[in-house]
């Protein structure tokens, strides 16, 4: 049975915000055109599968800024979570299990 860990509240909050930022970034990228810069559409059936893309109007400066802001915040949170002082308290062989537990901790709290 996997050990349960007493994660500090700031680490839990950082992980939860990281989940939220990644979800927001993923949703934004799915809504945006496939190319940052305006490009013509293309069709290529010379590879192992056919690839088609419509013409892309590119991203607006506001869209580019929003993506950059979310990516920067994602990076800051990832660094915060992975370098948190809590990890020094966890024995090296247990860190992967603890990290997995942290990733799922907020989901367990919502379910239970």
């Amino acid at each position: 049975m996997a050990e349960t860990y007493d994660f500090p509240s700031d680490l839990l909050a950082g992980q939860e915000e990281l989940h939220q930022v990644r979800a927001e970034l993923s949703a934004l990228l799915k809504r945006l055109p496939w190319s940052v810069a305006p490009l013509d559409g293309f069709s290529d059936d010379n590879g192992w599968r056919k690839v088609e893309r419509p013409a892309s109007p590119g991203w607006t400066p506001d869209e580019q800024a929003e993506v950059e802001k979310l990516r920067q915040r994602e990076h800051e949170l990832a660094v915060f979570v992975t370098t948190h002082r809590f990890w020094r308290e966890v024995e090296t062989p247990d860190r992967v299990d603890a990290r997995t537990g942290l990733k799922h901790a907020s989901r367990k709290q919502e379910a239970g």
Side-chain angles (χ1 to χ4, degrees):
M1 185 168 142
E3 181 179 343
T4 57
Y5 298 91
D6 187 20
F7 298 111
S9 61
D10 64 330
L11 181 56
L12 286 167
Q15 181 63 54
E16 180 57 31
E17 186 179 351
L18 182 57
H19 284 313
Q20 292 170 357
V21 167
R22 284 181 172 160
E24 189 176 337
L25 178 59
S26 177
L28 176 60
L29 291 171
K30 286 177 184 174
R31 287 192 315 267
L32 292 176
W34 63 270
S35 174
V36 176
L39 288 175
D40 293 333
F42 67 89
S43 178
D44 182 5
D45 58 1
N46 293 324
W48 61 277
R49 65 181 174 93
K50 186 174 183 175
V51 177
E52 291 183 311
R53 294 279 189 265
S56 173
W59 297 358
T60 66
D62 287 344
E63 291 168 335
Q64 290 180 38
E66 182 65 16
V67 168
E68 180 59 30
K69 182 182 99 175
L70 288 170
R71 285 182 173 158
Q72 179 63 35
R73 186 62 183 149
E74 178 187 30
H75 177 78
E76 291 167 359
L77 289 164
V79 169
F80 172 77
V81 168
T82 57
T83 63
H84 194 278
R85 68 188 177 282
F86 171 78
W87 302 116
R88 289 185 294 232
E89 301 170 13
V90 179
E91 295 294 324
T92 303
D94 299 330
R95 286 185 187 154
V96 171
D97 185 51
R99 180 73 182 106
T100 301
L102 175 64
K103 287 180 180 181
H104 299 286
S106 62
R107 293 181 180 110
K108 288 178 187 172
Q109 290 172 351
E110 291 170 5

